[in-house]
Amino acid sequence: MLVLITYDVNTQTKEGRKRLRRVAKLCVNYGVRVQNSVFECVVDNAQCRELKHKLTNEIDREKDSLRFYYLGDKYKTKVEHIGAKEAIEVDQPLIF
């Protein structure tokens, strides 16, 4: 399934900047960054629960926030890209 993850981490302190880097690194391990604090992750249910658990433990709930948008398996009909940044197929292999 495709899960869109967005986050807002308060970076006014050194600890906040560290949290931001850790949150971003976790998301990179599961998906593709499509905007600064937005990731598209194609994961199964177990991976989704694992990622959500890790991210929830990483943030400061008083200062930061996470949003999860569950787009399911038929996400290709639900996502439209317009603009300069080239859209990628998140479920296809990346060749460097």
Side-chain angles (χ1 to χ4, degrees):
M1 76 175 136
L2 178 67
V3 179
L4 187 73
I5 300 173
T6 67
Y7 54 85
D8 187 20
V9 176
N10 184 313
T11 58
Q12 293 178 340
T13 65
K14 185 176 180 181
E15 283 303 312
R17 291 186 289 277
K18 286 182 182 179
R19 281 195 316 276
L20 176 65
R21 287 190 295 276
R22 290 190 305 260
V23 166
K25 187 173 183 174
L26 279 170
C27 289
V28 165
N29 290 337
Y30 287 84
V32 176
R33 183 189 302 261
V34 293
Q35 292 186 356
N36 286 340
S37 296
V38 181
F39 282 81
E40 290 179 351
C41 303
V42 176
V43 292
D44 60 29
N45 285 330
Q47 291 170 319
C48 186
R49 283 191 307 273
E50 177 182 53
L51 177 55
K52 185 176 179 180
H53 176 74
K54 288 178 179 180
L55 289 171
T56 302
N57 287 335
E58 199 62 59
I59 67 165
D60 180 336
R61 290 180 183 225
E62 299 294 318
K63 300 175 184 174
D64 309 329
S65 67
L66 291 166
R67 287 179 156 258
F68 297 85
Y69 298 89
Y70 303 98
L71 299 177
D73 292 326
K74 297 180 181 168
Y75 60 87
K76 290 184 181 187
T77 61
K78 298 176 184 176
V79 178
E80 180 180 3
H81 173 82
I82 300 170
K85 193 172 182 181
E86 182 178 332
I88 61 169
E89 298 292 328
V90 295
D91 60 345
Q92 298 298 315
L94 291 176
I95 300 172
F96 295 97

